């Protein structure tokens, strides 16, 4: 293909589509991951977070969604634990999906007890060991959880990629 200059609007129209989400990864003081059960799919466990609104940064999204979904107001600094990439899933989700998972730190028992869920989004929350989560979650979802947990424990950042058959 010849190198033909296109105006930005036309060029962008040729690029793959993508949506983005951001969330906070919390554990309790014992290091056990905290997750929310999705109301719309009872087998799906997820972290406080959601899709970015126009004009938002990933960090702003993570903070807003965490507050909307749990009532928690996170005041820490942004520390990226990982990026999650899901390929286009066809008609189910006709775009790539890119996630930014930030470190939310540790929640005390009092903070966990104060969580208020939006019943339209989540039916319950739970804190479990990785071994317990592995029995509860699908393999792809658990692999993402395990990678993010490892990033938190080691101080590293991870990149997790998932194919078209996801969540």
């Amino acid at each position: 293909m010849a190198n033909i200059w296109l105006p930005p609007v036309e060029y962008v129209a040729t690029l793959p589509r993508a949506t983005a989400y951001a969330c906070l990864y919390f554990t309790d003081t014992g290091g056990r991951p905290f997750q929310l059960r999705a109301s719309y799919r009872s087998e799906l466990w997820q972290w406080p977070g959601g899709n970015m609104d126009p004009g938002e940064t990933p960090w702003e999204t993570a903070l807003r969604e965490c507050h909307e979904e749990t009532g928690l107001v996170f005041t820490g600094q942004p520390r990226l634990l990982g990026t999650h990439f899901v390929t286009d899933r066809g008609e189910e989700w006709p775009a790539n999906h890119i996630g930014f998972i930030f470190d939310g730190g540790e929640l005390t028992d009092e903070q966990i007890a104060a969580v208020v869920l939006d019943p339209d989004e989540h039916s319950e929350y739970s804190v479990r060991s990785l071994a317990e989560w592995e029995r509860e979650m699908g393999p792809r979802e658990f692999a993402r959880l395990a990678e993010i947990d490892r990033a938190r424990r080691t101080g590293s950042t991870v990149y997790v990629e998932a194919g078209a058959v996801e969540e």
Side-chain angles (χ1 to χ4, degrees):
M1 180 172 176
N3 289 334
I4 300 173
W5 184 87
L6 293 174
V9 170
E10 290 179 38
Y11 174 69
V12 168
T14 71
L15 298 175
R17 292 180 40 104
T19 59
Y21 75 91
C23 56
L24 288 168
Y25 175 71
F26 294 103
T27 63
D28 68 357
T29 56
R32 298 178 307 161
F34 169 87
Q35 295 198 94
L36 311 174
R37 183 188 296 271
S39 293
Y40 62 94
R41 266 182 63 194
S42 63
E43 74 279 5
L44 182 61
W45 288 92
Q46 50 194 195
W47 304 307
N51 289 321
M52 290 174 58
D53 285 345
E56 268 186 330
T57 68
W59 180 240
E60 291 167 339
T61 299
L63 296 178
R64 175 184 55 78
E65 287 282 349
C66 178
H67 183 253
E68 289 175 4
E69 293 180 354
T70 66
L72 298 172
V73 176
F74 184 73
T75 58
Q77 296 299 308
R79 180 170 114 61
L80 186 66
L81 293 175
T83 303
H84 178 226
F85 182 85
V86 182
T87 58
D88 181 331
R89 293 177 273 177
E91 289 183 24
E92 178 188 346
W93 193 275
N96 295 322
H97 199 45
I98 303 166
F100 300 87
I101 300 101
F102 294 98
D103 190 353
E106 294 181 346
L107 296 173
T108 64
D109 291 343
E110 294 78 21
Q111 289 171 309
I112 294 169
V115 166
V116 176
L117 299 177
D118 175 350
D120 290 334
E121 293 201 46
H122 298 100
S123 60
E124 70 177 295
Y125 62 84
S126 187
V127 176
R128 301 177 187 184
S129 69
L130 282 177
E132 291 168 322
W133 281 121
E134 186 172 20
R135 289 189 294 274
E136 180 71 24
M137 300 173 74
R140 288 178 189 235
E141 292 83 7
F142 178 74
R144 181 179 57 202
L145 169 63
E147 283 297 305
I148 294 301
D149 188 73
R150 181 176 62 81
R152 161 75 104 48
R153 286 183 289 100
T154 62
S156 63
T157 303
V158 297
Y159 171 73
V160 181
E161 198 170 286
V165 180
E166 167 76 35
E167 301 176 284

